[in-house]
Amino acid sequence: MTSASHPPDSALLRLLRGQHDDPFAVLGPHEVDGARYVTAYDPGADSMWAVVKGVSHPLLPTDVPGFFRGAVPGDLPYRLRGEGHGDEGPFSFEKEDPYRFGPVLGEIDEYLLGEGSHLRLWEALGAHVMEHEGIQGTHFAVWAPNAKRVSVVGDFNWWDGLRHPMRRRGATGVWEIFLPEIGDGAFYRYEIVGPDGTVQPRKADPIGFGSEHPPANASIVRDISGYGWSDEDWIETRAEAHKRSAPISIYEVHLGSWRRKDWGRPISYIEAAQELVDYVAEMGFTHIELMPVSEYPFDGSWGYQPIGMFAPTIRHGLPHEFRDLVNAAHRAGIGVILDWVPGHFPTDAHGLGRFDGTALYEHADPKEGFHHDWNTLIYNYGRAEVSNYLTANALYWLDEYHADGLRVDAVASMLYRDYSRPAGEWVPNKDGGRENYEAIAMLRRMNTETYGQHPGILTVAEESTAYPGVSSPVDQGGLGFGFKWNMGWMNDTLEYIHKDPIYRSHHHHQMTFGLVYAFSENFILPISHDEVVHGKGSMLGKMPGNGWEKFANLRAYYGFMWGHPGKKLLFMGQEFAQAHEWNHDAEIDWPCLGDPQHAGMQRLVRDLNHLYRDTPALHAKDCEPEGFAWIAGGDTGNSVLSWIRRGRADEPEVAVICNFSNAEQQAYRIGLPDTGVWREALNTDAEIYGGGNRGNFGRVVADDEPSHGYPASAELFLPPLSAIFLVREET
């Protein structure tokens, strides 16, 4: 309560016109001539009182409509009581006065917000259910440094921007207000007056924890405190599951189309906590990767154009229910990776674009701030508050939702200023080059902070260029990611496998070139959603030949992939070879599992996962050249590739042999490191997988005849379009 004269009518008029940037200087309690006076605003009231311990003190109407003022003795808290007449007759109300409450944000918050270094940003900004000065309510805070006024509007104040204008917090650019008696489930937005005096489109909360179901777009107050996690065992040991030497096999999921329920609705988080987790565990995958779950307005973006960066999408349930899904996965020993989109954001009017009437989160110049490919806006990574917003958001998902990792989308578009831009349509960096120094700095900071604050997590870059050191530590000049998608391997090998076997001998290099650079990064081999959509067809649909040949080709390709150095990622539906490409509006083709060929493919992927996880030679040195050696990489005439996978010296080696011709190979001799029995651990042509059940009767015996530079060798039968795994039997 400050000592001053009564606010002049001009100040009240400025409030009434929505032009006053300091409502707390006018409304609420103020000391005038040694007495406490209260000024209140309610345009629907005819009479108002301040109530102190049951005693009502009149607040008289001023000359400015809707404003009331009066003396209120003492310094005890008061409530406002009012009466009026509406369309349905007389009414009365009693409520707390938001303008009698002091600030919530402290000096440390103000300092960190001011310099753009508040890494727990979500604890300062957004909407927080809390008790403040003894009263329950919700604290709202938002960054809008160029605004002339910011108000909270919602279903609790008839969406009227004049009722709850906020307090400006000095040079931080933050506005805040505590609204008593507002709690979980309240709908709200921010009404912002820009620097030119124009009222902006109502904005969703950039750090809102909940949202309406699209296409509606109001933010919703969500109390995300107090969840009872029971995943301590997983959190304590997950660092082992994320080492370069660990088996990592990822099942990529779009929750909205994995399964549909009740006349086509998407599966809920609670349902997925049982059904998805059980399925992934049965299939032997080590991780679930969820396509973006942060709130997004357009279903067709699959989440890659987010607006609610701090809100798990309401499409599947509430925040605590999303935690139920993560918690269930962890209790089953399965990690959860979230797709994260810091590269761009949509232009929807309720989003971040021109948030306070200026280019705040984005660049003002479209040569830097607009993606023509996606019709989206690009973050201004050079602005400290924006870089902090993104870094804090990454930490938020790891902290509040126990995510085990983040797969960062479209990294290449962030690294280069000329990404997908013609000459003259981009702005060089300060040195005249194409690298985006500011985005690079943000990514390095994000990786440094996430790994530093949450040891044991992993970050993954979807990066399609030859930018060096993507998965190298920051202190060694790298970007600091744990792993990188191997897009070159994916493109080359899919192009090869699409060809009729008769032509493959001329394109053999497409299957071998990946080994030239396989250990330059910590690679994940991705068969993602991007490869089975937009007319590309399903994985089965890419295969040449008749029906049986299509399945055989795909079985051989999966064998090649699981035997190849690198961690694995497979998009849902491809594990059972659904025939149609992915449709985000419908569930994947579960009924096709009634066909033995599809069921056999599913069993193959399951068995590949278990073989990969149980055999150290297939994963322990995925990222090290010592873990791989060719037997014969140059048999172009037969379209056969063979190699050795190695783990530690005391662990059995594995030979992988792939026949990509449609002809069987009898008495095909390959070199091997040791004589003795080599067990046929997996053969993709086995009958249980839908194959012709041709092979080597479960084992081969290597003799001491040298071959391919090895001291021993064995003759094999190679079925057409097949992959075989031989494991050295311990003597």
Side-chain angles (χ1 to χ4, degrees), residues 201-212:
R202 289 173 177 167
K203 296 292 189 177
D205 191 342
I207 305 187
F209 301 144
S211 176
E212 282 188 284

Side-chain angles (χ1 to χ4, degrees), residues 187 204 208-214 216-220 222 295 308 311-314:
F187 289 61
F209 301 144
S211 176
E212 282 188 284
H213 198 292
N217 54 44
S219 297
I220 299 179
R222 295 294 184 201
E295 195 59 82
T313 178
I314 192 62

Side-chain angles (χ1 to χ4, degrees), residues 118-173:
H118 203 311
L119 289 174
R120 300 190 71 80
L121 191 66
W122 69 93
E123 294 182 349
L125 304 185
H128 293 269
V129 178
M130 63 170 54
E131 182 179 298
H132 182 48
E133 298 179 8
I135 300 297
Q136 281 294 125
T138 297
H139 174 245
F140 297 88
V142 64
W143 180 58
N146 302 301
K148 285 191 170 181
R149 171 179 65 83
V150 181
S151 299
V152 180
V153 297
D155 55 359
F156 43 82
N157 64 11
W158 296 275
W159 302 95
D160 182 356
L162 301 180
R163 289 178 178 265
H164 291 131
M166 304 171 76
R167 170 190 279 119
R168 184 197 291 269
R169 291 304 301 266
T172 64

Side-chain angles (χ1 to χ4, degrees), residues 419-728:
Y419 180 86
S420 195
R421 294 180 183 275
E425 292 299 316
W426 57 281
V427 178
N429 62 36
K430 64 184 179 65
D431 297 319
R434 58 195 287 258
E435 294 81 10
N436 190 329
Y437 293 155
E438 295 79 12
I440 291 167
M442 190 282 292
L443 290 170
R444 285 174 169 162
R445 182 189 183 202
M446 181 276 297
N447 279 314
T448 299
E449 295 293 347
T450 53
Y451 276 100
Q453 295 193 31
H454 295 276
I457 59 94
L458 64 99
T459 62
V460 181
E462 184 214 11
E463 204 286 308
S464 55
T465 74
Y467 188 92
V470 171
S471 57
S472 294
V474 171
D475 61 5
Q476 296 178 20
L479 291 182
F481 286 94
F483 295 91
K484 172 183 172 175
W485 276 16
N486 194 337
M487 310 292 281
W489 173 91
M490 176 270 296
N491 285 317
D492 285 347
T493 60
L494 287 184
E495 187 175 333
Y496 173 91
I497 203 68
H498 180 69
K499 292 179 171 63
D500 189 289
I502 196 172
Y503 302 116
R504 286 177 178 166
S505 62
H506 304 292
H507 301 274
H508 199 76
H509 65 282
Q510 290 182 302
M511 299 297 270
T512 61
F513 181 66
L515 273 304
V516 173
Y517 58 87
F519 310 106
S520 61
E521 301 274 6
N522 302 328
F523 278 124
I524 293 173
L525 310 180
I527 300 299
S528 75
H529 65 277
D530 279 329
E531 310 319 312
V532 293
V533 74
H534 294 325
K536 296 180 182 178
S538 67
M539 284 298 290
L540 184 67
K542 297 179 194 297
M543 301 298 121
N546 58 33
W548 185 91
E549 289 170 330
K550 284 180 177 291
F551 280 95
N553 270 292
L554 185 55
R555 289 193 299 268
Y557 182 83
Y558 285 163
F560 168 79
M561 175 178 171
W562 259 259
H564 193 286
K567 311 309 180 185
K568 323 301 176 190
L569 180 143
L570 189 64
F571 183 58
M572 64 181 197
Q574 308 318 302
E575 77 276 17
F576 52 73
Q578 74 171 40
H580 303 292
E581 73 173 23
W582 173 51
N583 174 9
H584 72 270
D585 283 326
E587 72 173 13
I588 55 177
D589 189 13
W590 295 103
C592 78
L593 285 169
D595 183 323
Q597 289 282 352
H598 292 279
M601 189 71 70
Q602 183 189 50
R603 182 167 184 172
L604 170 65
V605 171
R606 184 194 67 190
D607 289 354
L608 283 168
N609 274 331
H610 285 291
L611 179 64
Y612 171 68
R613 294 176 65 169
D614 296 342
T615 310
L618 290 175
H619 63 254
K621 294 187 176 181
D622 264 335
C623 305
E624 301 172 39
E626 295 79 11
F628 176 89
W630 283 113
I631 297 173
D635 188 0
T636 60
N638 291 311
S639 296
V640 173
L641 299 121
S642 55
W643 62 89
I644 296 291
R645 296 295 311 277
R646 298 187 175 108
R648 295 192 304 266
D650 60 342
E651 294 166 340
E653 295 171 306
V654 176
V656 183
I657 308 95
C658 298
N659 178 14
F660 287 110
S661 76
N662 53 9
E664 62 185 37
Q665 301 289 333
Q666 300 189 30
Y668 188 91
R669 183 168 289 274
I670 63 166
L672 290 169
D674 292 303
T675 58
V677 176
W678 289 71
R679 175 173 55 89
E680 191 175 68
L682 189 145
N683 179 342
T684 64
D685 192 57
E687 185 177 10
I688 57 173
Y689 306 138
N693 215 33
R694 294 156 291 186
N696 298 280
F697 304 102
R699 64 200 290 264
V700 299
V701 178
D703 56 35
D704 59 3
E705 179 180 340
S707 183
H708 298 98
Y710 289 90
S713 63
E715 288 188 345
L716 281 69
F717 178 89
L718 302 182
L721 304 172
S722 67
I724 290 174
F725 291 73
L726 301 177
V727 178
R728 177 72 169 91

